[in-house]
Amino acid sequence: MFAFFCLVVVMFCYFSGIWIYCSKRKHMLIILLSLEYMVLFTFFLLMFWLGEFQNELYFSMIYLVFAVCEGSLGLGILISMVRSHGSDFFQSFMVLRC
C-alpha cells in the first residue's frame, strides 16, 4: 500500500511539472527548472521500477549521468542567451534575426 501511495505522489509531481512546463513558458529559466523537476521524478519512477529487479540499479547511474549532461547543456544555453540578448524572456528577442 505504501508503494502505491509513493507511486501516486511521484506521478502527481511529474504531471505538475508537465503542467508548469506547458503553462509558464515566458522565461527560459522556468522551463529549464520544470524540465529538471520532471527528470528528477522520472528518476524516482525508474528507481521504483528497477527496485523490483535485483542487479539492475547500475542503469540509474547512467540515467543520472545523462540528466546532469542535460542540465549543464541547458544552463550553457541559458547563459549564452542572456549574454547575447540581455534576458531569458522569450518575447524580448527574435529567433529568426541574424
Side-chain angles (χ1 to χ4, degrees):
M1 186 68 184
F2 180 72
F4 178 73
F5 176 72
C6 289
L7 183 65
V8 169
V9 168
V10 168
M11 290 301 290
F12 174 75
C13 292
Y14 181 78
F15 286 120
S16 67
I18 291 175
W19 180 74
I20 290 170
Y21 178 75
C22 293
S23 65
K24 311 283 185 190
R25 296 194 320 168
K26 290 183 180 179
H27 293 279
M28 181 76 166
L29 183 62
I30 293 174
I31 290 173
L32 290 175
L33 284 175
S34 66
L35 283 175
E36 287 298 319
Y37 185 75
M38 288 188 298
V39 164
L40 178 68
F41 283 104
T42 305
F43 176 70
F44 288 150
L45 284 174
L46 184 69
M47 290 302 292
F48 281 142
W49 184 66
L50 289 177
E52 296 176 9
F53 307 111
Q54 295 298 324
N55 296 325
E56 297 294 327
L57 289 178
Y58 70 92
F59 185 72
S60 63
M61 291 302 287
I62 296 170
Y63 181 81
L64 284 177
V65 167
F66 282 112
V68 168
C69 291
E70 178 257 335
S72 64
L73 284 173
L75 189 60
I77 291 171
L78 177 69
I79 289 172
S80 67
M81 192 169 107
V82 168
R83 285 184 180 174
S84 64
H85 298 290
S87 72
D88 68 336
F89 192 59
F90 273 127
Q91 296 169 347
S92 67
F93 67 93
M94 299 203 45
V95 177
L96 298 176
R97 186 175 55 184
C98 294

